[in-house]
Amino acid sequence: MSKKITNEQIVSLASKFGIEPAAAYAVILTESSGSGFAADGRMKIQFEPHVFAKELDKLNIDNELKQVGKDSRGLKIWDITVGGLTIRNGVERHDAEWMAYNLAFQINKEAAMLATSWG
């Protein structure tokens, strides 16, 4: 079951953060295709290996980042290797994004969360 934020919640949150409700709607439609949750009930995410690499660098955790291609829309596909474990971002494929995030979370929880866009 896909969850949706209500119009009242959008207006309330927009007011709380000092933005126009129309701007909030535009972000919701653009960034999440109208819903922050997938059909399986999990939140939509986008794991960014290049951001994860920067966060690990700040922590002096060795990693190797390389671009391995692009998808059909031109989005970069990355591999990041940490301690012999290689993680590839899912480029907006829901299950693959969650798999990459979960692996990154095992390496460093905070860096994984900071490298992920939510909803």
Side-chain angles (χ1 to χ4, degrees):
M1 168 195 259
S2 185
K3 302 174 188 175
K4 293 198 181 239
I5 190 170
T6 67
N7 289 334
E8 293 79 18
Q9 290 170 317
I10 293 170
V11 171
S12 175
L13 287 167
S15 175
K16 177 180 177 181
F17 290 102
I19 62 173
E20 292 294 322
Y25 282 108
V27 170
I28 291 167
L29 290 173
T30 302
E31 294 296 326
S32 67
S33 303
S35 174
F37 295 88
D40 65 7
R42 290 184 296 176
M43 187 178 291
K44 291 179 182 177
I45 64 169
Q46 180 71 41
F47 175 72
E48 302 286 358
H50 62 286
V51 176
F52 187 57
K54 288 179 185 176
E55 293 300 324
L56 293 179
D57 288 343
K58 292 177 190 175
L59 300 168
N60 294 316
I61 298 174
D62 289 336
N63 66 86
E64 181 184 345
L65 178 70
K66 65 180 178 179
Q67 183 182 338
V68 294
K70 292 185 178 183
D71 76 352
S72 62
R73 295 176 300 151
L75 297 173
K76 294 177 182 176
I77 301 171
W78 299 93
D79 277 355
I80 182 168
T81 302
V82 183
L85 177 66
T86 299
I87 303 168
R88 178 169 292 174
N89 63 323
V91 190
E92 298 185 353
R93 290 186 336 269
H94 182 63
D95 287 335
E97 290 294 330
W98 271 101
M99 185 181 306
Y101 169 76
N102 287 330
L103 289 170
F105 192 85
Q106 291 175 26
I107 294 166
N108 187 283
K109 295 173 181 157
E110 185 174 341
M113 287 186 277
L114 291 170
T116 306
S117 298
W118 300 88

Short mmCIF file of all heavy atoms in Angstrom, two decimals, residues 62-102:
data_model
loop_
_atom_site.label_atom_id
_atom_site.label_comp_id
_atom_site.label_asym_id
_atom_site.label_seq_id
_atom_site.Cartn_x
_atom_site.Cartn_y
_atom_site.Cartn_z
N ASP A 62 39.29 4.14 4.34
CA ASP A 62 39.72 3.90 2.97
C ASP A 62 38.57 3.39 2.12
O ASP A 62 37.80 2.52 2.55
CB ASP A 62 40.87 2.88 2.93
CG ASP A 62 42.17 3.45 3.47
OD1 ASP A 62 42.35 4.69 3.44
OD2 ASP A 62 43.01 2.65 3.91
N ASN A 63 38.47 3.94 0.90
CA ASN A 63 37.46 3.49 -0.04
C ASN A 63 37.94 3.80 -1.44
O ASN A 63 38.83 4.63 -1.65
CB ASN A 63 36.12 4.16 0.24
CG ASN A 63 36.14 5.66 -0.01
OD1 ASN A 63 35.94 6.10 -1.13
ND2 ASN A 63 36.42 6.45 1.04
N GLU A 64 37.39 3.09 -2.39
CA GLU A 64 37.69 3.34 -3.80
C GLU A 64 36.38 3.56 -4.53
O GLU A 64 35.49 2.71 -4.50
CB GLU A 64 38.44 2.16 -4.41
CG GLU A 64 38.79 2.38 -5.86
CD GLU A 64 39.44 1.16 -6.49
OE1 GLU A 64 39.88 0.25 -5.77
OE2 GLU A 64 39.48 1.12 -7.73
N LEU A 65 36.26 4.72 -5.16
CA LEU A 65 35.04 5.09 -5.88
C LEU A 65 35.36 5.15 -7.36
O LEU A 65 36.36 5.74 -7.77
CB LEU A 65 34.55 6.45 -5.40
CG LEU A 65 33.31 7.02 -6.08
CD1 LEU A 65 32.07 6.22 -5.69
CD2 LEU A 65 33.13 8.49 -5.73
N LYS A 66 34.51 4.53 -8.18
CA LYS A 66 34.70 4.67 -9.62
C LYS A 66 33.35 4.65 -10.33
O LYS A 66 32.44 3.91 -9.95
CB LYS A 66 35.64 3.60 -10.18
CG LYS A 66 35.14 2.18 -10.09
CD LYS A 66 36.16 1.22 -10.68
CE LYS A 66 35.67 -0.20 -10.53
NZ LYS A 66 36.60 -1.16 -11.09
N GLN A 67 33.27 5.49 -11.35
CA GLN A 67 32.07 5.52 -12.18
C GLN A 67 32.17 4.34 -13.14
O GLN A 67 33.18 4.17 -13.82
CB GLN A 67 31.95 6.83 -12.94
CG GLN A 67 30.68 6.90 -13.77
CD GLN A 67 30.58 8.18 -14.58
OE1 GLN A 67 31.20 9.18 -14.27
NE2 GLN A 67 29.79 8.14 -15.62
N VAL A 68 31.12 3.53 -13.18
CA VAL A 68 31.16 2.32 -14.01
C VAL A 68 30.21 2.40 -15.20
O VAL A 68 30.13 1.46 -15.98
CB VAL A 68 30.87 1.06 -13.18
CG1 VAL A 68 31.98 0.82 -12.17
CG2 VAL A 68 29.52 1.13 -12.47
N GLY A 69 29.51 3.51 -15.35
CA GLY A 69 28.61 3.65 -16.48
C GLY A 69 27.55 4.69 -16.22
O GLY A 69 27.61 5.45 -15.26
N LYS A 70 26.58 4.70 -17.14
CA LYS A 70 25.41 5.56 -17.03
C LYS A 70 24.18 4.76 -17.42
O LYS A 70 24.27 3.83 -18.23
CB LYS A 70 25.54 6.78 -17.95
CG LYS A 70 26.62 7.75 -17.54
CD LYS A 70 26.60 8.99 -18.42
CE LYS A 70 27.68 9.96 -17.95
NZ LYS A 70 27.65 11.20 -18.74
N ASP A 71 23.04 5.14 -16.85
CA ASP A 71 21.81 4.45 -17.23
C ASP A 71 21.25 5.09 -18.49
O ASP A 71 21.86 5.98 -19.08
CB ASP A 71 20.80 4.43 -16.07
CG ASP A 71 20.09 5.76 -15.85
OD1 ASP A 71 20.46 6.77 -16.47
OD2 ASP A 71 19.15 5.78 -15.04
N SER A 72 20.09 4.64 -18.92
CA SER A 72 19.51 5.12 -20.18
C SER A 72 19.15 6.60 -20.15
O SER A 72 19.02 7.22 -21.19
CB SER A 72 18.26 4.30 -20.53
OG SER A 72 17.27 4.46 -19.52
N ARG A 73 19.03 7.18 -18.95
CA ARG A 73 18.73 8.61 -18.84
C ARG A 73 19.97 9.44 -18.59
O ARG A 73 19.89 10.64 -18.38
CB ARG A 73 17.71 8.84 -17.71
CG ARG A 73 16.37 8.18 -18.03
CD ARG A 73 15.40 8.32 -16.89
NE ARG A 73 15.96 7.69 -15.71
CZ ARG A 73 15.68 8.08 -14.47
NH1 ARG A 73 14.88 9.06 -14.24
NH2 ARG A 73 16.23 7.46 -13.45
N GLY A 74 21.13 8.80 -18.55
CA GLY A 74 22.37 9.53 -18.35
C GLY A 74 22.79 9.67 -16.91
O GLY A 74 23.77 10.36 -16.61
N LEU A 75 22.08 9.03 -15.97
CA LEU A 75 22.46 9.08 -14.56
C LEU A 75 23.68 8.20 -14.34
O LEU A 75 23.77 7.09 -14.86
CB LEU A 75 21.31 8.61 -13.67
CG LEU A 75 20.05 9.47 -13.71
CD1 LEU A 75 18.93 8.80 -12.92
CD2 LEU A 75 20.33 10.85 -13.15
N LYS A 76 24.63 8.68 -13.57
CA LYS A 76 25.88 7.96 -13.32
C LYS A 76 25.64 6.75 -12.44
O LYS A 76 24.91 6.81 -11.46
CB LYS A 76 26.91 8.88 -12.68
CG LYS A 76 27.35 9.99 -13.60
CD LYS A 76 28.33 10.92 -12.91
CE LYS A 76 28.71 12.05 -13.84
NZ LYS A 76 29.58 13.03 -13.17
N ILE A 77 26.32 5.67 -12.80
CA ILE A 77 26.31 4.45 -12.00
C ILE A 77 27.70 4.34 -11.37
O ILE A 77 28.72 4.43 -12.06
CB ILE A 77 26.01 3.21 -12.86
CG1 ILE A 77 24.64 3.36 -13.53
CG2 ILE A 77 26.07 1.94 -12.01
CD1 ILE A 77 24.35 2.30 -14.58
N TRP A 78 27.74 4.19 -10.03
CA TRP A 78 28.98 4.17 -9.28
C TRP A 78 29.17 2.85 -8.57
O TRP A 78 28.21 2.24 -8.11
CB TRP A 78 28.96 5.26 -8.21
CG TRP A 78 28.85 6.65 -8.68
CD1 TRP A 78 27.69 7.37 -8.83
CD2 TRP A 78 29.90 7.53 -9.04
NE1 TRP A 78 27.98 8.64 -9.26
CE2 TRP A 78 29.33 8.77 -9.40
CE3 TRP A 78 31.30 7.39 -9.10
CZ2 TRP A 78 30.10 9.85 -9.81
CZ3 TRP A 78 32.06 8.48 -9.51
CH2 TRP A 78 31.46 9.69 -9.86
N ASP A 79 30.43 2.46 -8.43
CA ASP A 79 30.83 1.41 -7.50
C ASP A 79 31.69 2.05 -6.44
O ASP A 79 32.54 2.89 -6.74
CB ASP A 79 31.67 0.33 -8.20
CG ASP A 79 30.86 -0.71 -8.93
OD1 ASP A 79 29.61 -0.68 -8.84
OD2 ASP A 79 31.47 -1.56 -9.61
N ILE A 80 31.47 1.67 -5.21
CA ILE A 80 32.37 2.06 -4.12
C ILE A 80 32.79 0.78 -3.40
O ILE A 80 31.94 -0.07 -3.10
CB ILE A 80 31.74 3.08 -3.15
CG1 ILE A 80 32.77 3.47 -2.08
CG2 ILE A 80 30.45 2.59 -2.56
CD1 ILE A 80 32.38 4.66 -1.24
N THR A 81 34.09 0.64 -3.21
CA THR A 81 34.62 -0.53 -2.55
C THR A 81 35.24 -0.10 -1.22
O THR A 81 36.04 0.82 -1.18
CB THR A 81 35.68 -1.23 -3.43
OG1 THR A 81 35.07 -1.58 -4.68
CG2 THR A 81 36.20 -2.50 -2.76
N VAL A 82 34.81 -0.78 -0.16
CA VAL A 82 35.29 -0.51 1.19
C VAL A 82 35.59 -1.85 1.84
O VAL A 82 34.69 -2.70 1.93
CB VAL A 82 34.25 0.26 2.03
CG1 VAL A 82 34.79 0.61 3.41
CG2 VAL A 82 33.74 1.50 1.31
N GLY A 83 36.83 -2.04 2.25
CA GLY A 83 37.20 -3.28 2.93
C GLY A 83 36.85 -4.54 2.15
O GLY A 83 36.38 -5.51 2.73
N GLY A 84 37.01 -4.50 0.84
CA GLY A 84 36.73 -5.66 0.01
C GLY A 84 35.27 -5.82 -0.40
O GLY A 84 34.94 -6.71 -1.19
N LEU A 85 34.39 -4.99 0.11
CA LEU A 85 32.96 -5.04 -0.22
C LEU A 85 32.66 -3.96 -1.25
O LEU A 85 32.97 -2.79 -1.02
CB LEU A 85 32.11 -4.82 1.03
CG LEU A 85 30.60 -4.77 0.84
CD1 LEU A 85 30.07 -6.12 0.38
CD2 LEU A 85 29.94 -4.38 2.14
N THR A 86 32.08 -4.34 -2.38
CA THR A 86 31.74 -3.37 -3.42
C THR A 86 30.23 -3.14 -3.43
O THR A 86 29.45 -4.09 -3.41
CB THR A 86 32.20 -3.86 -4.80
OG1 THR A 86 33.63 -3.99 -4.78
CG2 THR A 86 31.82 -2.86 -5.89
N ILE A 87 29.87 -1.87 -3.45
CA ILE A 87 28.47 -1.45 -3.45
C ILE A 87 28.21 -0.68 -4.74
O ILE A 87 28.98 0.22 -5.09
CB ILE A 87 28.16 -0.54 -2.25
CG1 ILE A 87 28.50 -1.25 -0.93
CG2 ILE A 87 26.70 -0.10 -2.26
CD1 ILE A 87 28.49 -0.33 0.27
N ARG A 88 27.14 -0.98 -5.43
CA ARG A 88 26.74 -0.24 -6.64
C ARG A 88 25.38 0.40 -6.39
O ARG A 88 24.46 -0.26 -5.90
CB ARG A 88 26.65 -1.17 -7.84
CG ARG A 88 26.17 -0.44 -9.11
CD ARG A 88 26.33 -1.28 -10.34
NE ARG A 88 27.76 -1.45 -10.60
CZ ARG A 88 28.25 -2.24 -11.54
NH1 ARG A 88 27.45 -2.95 -12.30
NH2 ARG A 88 29.55 -2.35 -11.70
N ASN A 89 25.27 1.69 -6.73
CA ASN A 89 23.97 2.34 -6.55
C ASN A 89 22.96 1.78 -7.55
O ASN A 89 23.32 1.25 -8.59
CB ASN A 89 24.08 3.86 -6.65
CG ASN A 89 24.54 4.37 -8.00
OD1 ASN A 89 25.37 3.77 -8.65
ND2 ASN A 89 24.01 5.50 -8.40
N GLY A 90 21.70 1.88 -7.20
CA GLY A 90 20.64 1.28 -8.00
C GLY A 90 20.08 2.16 -9.08
O GLY A 90 19.27 1.73 -9.88
N VAL A 91 20.53 3.41 -9.14
CA VAL A 91 20.06 4.39 -10.12
C VAL A 91 18.53 4.32 -10.23
O VAL A 91 17.97 3.99 -11.26
CB VAL A 91 20.74 4.22 -11.49
CG1 VAL A 91 20.42 5.38 -12.40
CG2 VAL A 91 22.25 4.12 -11.33
N GLU A 92 17.91 4.59 -9.10
CA GLU A 92 16.46 4.70 -8.97
C GLU A 92 15.70 3.39 -9.16
O GLU A 92 14.52 3.39 -9.45
CB GLU A 92 15.92 5.80 -9.90
CG GLU A 92 16.49 7.16 -9.54
CD GLU A 92 15.91 8.30 -10.34
OE1 GLU A 92 15.14 8.06 -11.28
OE2 GLU A 92 16.24 9.43 -10.00
N ARG A 93 16.39 2.27 -9.00
CA ARG A 93 15.70 0.97 -8.93
C ARG A 93 15.53 0.68 -7.44
O ARG A 93 16.51 0.47 -6.72
CB ARG A 93 16.51 -0.11 -9.64
CG ARG A 93 16.54 0.07 -11.15
CD ARG A 93 17.22 -1.08 -11.89
NE ARG A 93 18.18 -1.87 -11.12
CZ ARG A 93 19.50 -1.60 -11.05
NH1 ARG A 93 20.02 -0.56 -11.65
NH2 ARG A 93 20.29 -2.39 -10.34
N HIS A 94 14.32 0.70 -7.00
CA HIS A 94 13.95 0.67 -5.58
C HIS A 94 14.70 -0.41 -4.78
O HIS A 94 15.35 -0.12 -3.79
CB HIS A 94 12.44 0.50 -5.48
CG HIS A 94 11.88 0.50 -4.11
ND1 HIS A 94 11.95 1.59 -3.26
CD2 HIS A 94 11.23 -0.46 -3.42
CE1 HIS A 94 11.37 1.30 -2.13
NE2 HIS A 94 10.92 0.06 -2.19
N ASP A 95 14.61 -1.67 -5.21
CA ASP A 95 15.26 -2.74 -4.47
C ASP A 95 16.77 -2.59 -4.44
O ASP A 95 17.42 -2.82 -3.41
CB ASP A 95 14.88 -4.11 -5.04
CG ASP A 95 13.45 -4.51 -4.72
OD1 ASP A 95 12.90 -4.02 -3.72
OD2 ASP A 95 12.87 -5.31 -5.48
N ALA A 96 17.36 -2.20 -5.57
CA ALA A 96 18.81 -2.04 -5.64
C ALA A 96 19.28 -0.88 -4.76
O ALA A 96 20.35 -0.95 -4.15
CB ALA A 96 19.25 -1.83 -7.09
N GLU A 97 18.50 0.19 -4.70
CA GLU A 97 18.86 1.33 -3.84
C GLU A 97 18.88 0.89 -2.38
O GLU A 97 19.79 1.24 -1.63
CB GLU A 97 17.89 2.49 -4.03
CG GLU A 97 17.99 3.18 -5.37
CD GLU A 97 19.31 3.89 -5.58
OE1 GLU A 97 19.94 4.35 -4.62
OE2 GLU A 97 19.72 3.99 -6.75
N TRP A 98 17.86 0.14 -1.98
CA TRP A 98 17.80 -0.33 -0.60
C TRP A 98 18.93 -1.31 -0.29
O TRP A 98 19.51 -1.28 0.80
CB TRP A 98 16.43 -0.94 -0.28
CG TRP A 98 15.47 0.10 0.19
CD1 TRP A 98 14.49 0.71 -0.53
CD2 TRP A 98 15.44 0.69 1.49
NE1 TRP A 98 13.84 1.64 0.24
CE2 TRP A 98 14.41 1.64 1.50
CE3 TRP A 98 16.18 0.50 2.65
CZ2 TRP A 98 14.11 2.41 2.61
CZ3 TRP A 98 15.88 1.27 3.77
CH2 TRP A 98 14.85 2.20 3.74
N MET A 99 19.28 -2.17 -1.25
CA MET A 99 20.38 -3.10 -1.04
C MET A 99 21.69 -2.34 -0.84
O MET A 99 22.46 -2.63 0.07
CB MET A 99 20.51 -4.06 -2.22
CG MET A 99 21.57 -5.14 -2.01
SD MET A 99 21.75 -6.26 -3.42
CE MET A 99 20.08 -6.81 -3.63
N ALA A 100 21.94 -1.33 -1.70
CA ALA A 100 23.15 -0.53 -1.57
C ALA A 100 23.18 0.20 -0.24
O ALA A 100 24.20 0.22 0.46
CB ALA A 100 23.24 0.46 -2.74
N TYR A 101 22.06 0.81 0.13
CA TYR A 101 21.98 1.52 1.41
C TYR A 101 22.26 0.58 2.58
O TYR A 101 23.03 0.91 3.48
CB TYR A 101 20.62 2.19 1.57
CG TYR A 101 20.42 2.71 2.98
CD1 TYR A 101 21.06 3.88 3.39
CD2 TYR A 101 19.64 2.02 3.89
CE1 TYR A 101 20.92 4.34 4.69
CE2 TYR A 101 19.49 2.48 5.19
CZ TYR A 101 20.13 3.63 5.58
OH TYR A 101 19.99 4.08 6.87
N ASN A 102 21.64 -0.59 2.58
CA ASN A 102 21.82 -1.53 3.70
C ASN A 102 23.27 -1.98 3.83
O ASN A 102 23.78 -2.11 4.94
CB ASN A 102 20.88 -2.73 3.55
CG ASN A 102 19.44 -2.37 3.84
OD1 ASN A 102 19.15 -1.47 4.64
ND2 ASN A 102 18.51 -3.03 3.19
#
